[in-house]
Amino acid sequence: MTQITMTRPDDWHLHLRDGAAMADVVAHSARVFGRAIVMPNLTPPVVTTDGALGYRRRILAALPAETTFEPLMTLYLTDRTPPAEIKMAVESGIVHGVKLYPAGATTNSEAGVTDIARVGEVLAVMAELGLPLQVHGEVTDPGVDLFDREAVFLERILAPIVEEHPGLKVVMEHVTTSEAVSFVENARDGVAATITPHHLLMNRNAIFSGGIRPHHYCLPVLKRERHRQALVRAATSGNARFFLGTDSAPHSVETKEAPCGCAGIYSAHAALELYAGVFEAAGALDRLEAFASFHGADYYQLPRNTGSITLVQKPWLVPPAYRFGESSLIPLSAGETVAWKIEEMDCH
Ligand code: NCD
Ligand code: ZN
């Protein structure tokens, strides 16, 4: 097959940042995706419905003129999020989830949750109102090896949450291990996961090939090859619990190429094309549409998109960098060839 036409996809996990930097990246997502779940880890974080409404307005204002892209907003959960805020969020109609960052787990997570016991009441209200919890699934315990933090999180934090709140919808964001895949496959209804293009394409050798590669550093960090293979199996399995979430996370080149470089990989410029390569290699191109365009919408109880998109096998060269506010960013596969290209979009 050299061409595939599918329903317009959505991105169920995206970082758009804010201000001039956002204006430089948002068009990459809007050109392909109908909607995106927009992460709230700004500085300061988006902790209220009012904050989400304001951020949404700024995103809409930064969009190219002829786009139908719709940002789906999230709130950043803190130790002090009042249960009443959850009610307001649901009533607003623009908030589609609440993000749990264990405090200190990743970029801009300092204001996150220090102890899951502190948010029990909020999780109960979310379960009651059907608002999904989006989880960054890594423990922050410095005594736990960095590569084990996801697997330990499943046991220590996620399993108890899922059991104590049987009605709560939980998305384990950007899963990176075979343990997380098994957890989601075997969990009760309402538990799902997103999978990024970079975790499908690379294993942890990519962080160290020929020298240290800051542009391949993200959180959760890339894992062993056997984990990558488990992710490819899950994504291409047709299981509706797994769906597309790029975790495209832009950082300026100087904050990545630094003595203490930031975590985050930028993939919005080529995300669907890269996923297509993974599905093709797995002999599962016929399952790309469900993963990219159906499973997430169904999970979030939103209508599937009606537009369509055509991908063709036509190699193109990824630029070495893109503008990013005052600076620039180095995208995933910079200077390399991507095999699939978007040929045609019909957004209606
Ligand atoms: C994300 C970012 O930069 O905001 N970084 C990352 O490595 N994925 C935060 C996150 O999703 O963990
Ligand atoms: Zn993320």
Side-chain angles (χ1 to χ4, degrees):
M1 200 196 299
T2 55
Q3 178 169 322
I4 168 173
T5 296
M6 56 189 269
T7 304
R8 192 178 187 195
D10 300 301
D11 184 349
W12 300 100
H13 183 125
L14 176 64
H15 298 270
L16 285 176
R17 312 308 188 204
D18 209 345
M22 167 168 72
D24 286 330
V25 295
V26 69
H28 279 157
S29 296
R31 108 205 128 100
V32 177
F33 297 105
R35 296 163 291 199
I37 286 275
V38 180
M39 288 294 127
N41 62 333
L42 304 181
T43 34
V46 181
V47 294
T48 61
T49 306
D50 254 8
L53 279 160
Y55 186 27
R56 182 172 179 274
R57 273 195 296 273
R58 297 197 296 282
I59 297 170
L60 293 175
L63 284 171
E66 279 155 34
T67 177
T68 55
F69 177 80
E70 190 190 342
L72 307 173
M73 310 313 292
T74 58
L75 295 190
Y76 184 117
L77 186 61
T78 76
D79 286 352
R80 290 169 305 282
T81 302
E85 190 64 54
I86 302 301
K87 295 203 174 79
M88 276 190 273
V90 170
E91 279 161 19
S92 77
I94 60 117
V95 174
H96 295 267
V98 175
K99 180 68 188 271
L100 165 63
Y101 289 106
T106 186
T107 307
N108 295 341
S109 63
E110 297 75 21
V113 174
T114 61
D115 180 354
I116 198 73
R118 301 197 170 164
V119 297
E121 210 185 320
V122 167
L123 297 185
V125 175
M126 287 171 61
E128 191 188 311
L129 300 179
L131 190 63
L133 179 72
Q134 295 128 349
V135 176
H136 183 103
E138 289 189 289
V139 292
T140 53
D141 181 348
V144 177
D145 188 280
L146 181 78
F147 291 92
D148 297 334
R149 288 184 187 175
E150 183 174 280
V152 172
F153 182 90
L154 298 169
E155 271 171 45
R156 284 195 199 163
I157 315 281
L158 195 60
I161 292 179
V162 166
E163 198 179 305
E164 280 161 32
H165 300 279
L168 183 65
K169 296 182 83 167
V170 181
V171 187
M172 176 82 176
E173 299 292 338
H174 41 54
V175 284
T176 64
T177 57
S178 64
E179 288 89 343
V181 166
S182 306
F183 183 94
V184 170
E185 283 171 343
N186 298 310
R188 62 157 171 77
D189 282 355
V191 177
T194 54
I195 307 182
T196 77
H198 44 282
H199 290 102
L200 291 170
L201 284 164
M202 297 186 286
N203 65 36
R204 66 191 195 174
N205 287 345
I207 312 168
F208 306 105
S209 69
I212 190 141
R213 303 283 185 157
H215 299 291
H216 291 163
Y217 173 58
C218 65
L219 286 170
V221 73
L222 297 171
K223 302 295 191 307
R224 286 178 181 277
E225 176 61 10
R226 73 178 169 82
H227 294 295
R228 189 192 70 81
Q229 288 172 6
L231 298 175
V232 171
R233 273 197 299 277
T236 60
S237 66
N239 185 334
R241 291 177 177 221
F242 297 100
F243 37 86
L244 185 158
T246 62
D247 194 21
S248 180
H251 290 274
S252 68
V253 62
E254 16 346 299
T255 57
K256 293 285 291 174
E257 298 177 5
C260 185
C262 293
I265 293 179
Y266 185 72
S267 62
H269 63 298
L272 186 66
E273 298 88 329
L274 292 169
Y275 281 111
V278 170
F279 276 68
E280 182 200 4
L285 263 184
D286 57 328
R287 293 191 174 154
L288 178 62
E289 181 180 41
F291 174 77
S293 316
F294 297 163
H295 296 166
D298 297 352
Y299 180 85
Y300 278 94
Q301 292 177 292
L302 293 168
R304 294 175 179 182
N305 290 324
T306 50
S308 69
I309 184 161
T310 299
L311 287 150
V312 290
Q313 256 176 336
K314 193 190 270 183
W316 60 283
L317 198 62
V318 175
Y322 289 107
R323 199 174 66 183
F324 188 56
E326 305 276 276
S327 181
S328 61
L329 67 80
I330 312 291
L332 180 57
S333 303
E336 292 171 14
T337 297
V338 172
W340 289 84
K341 194 169 193 301
I342 290 165
E343 183 81 338
E344 214 177 284
M345 279 289 305
D346 172 4
C347 298
H348 304 289

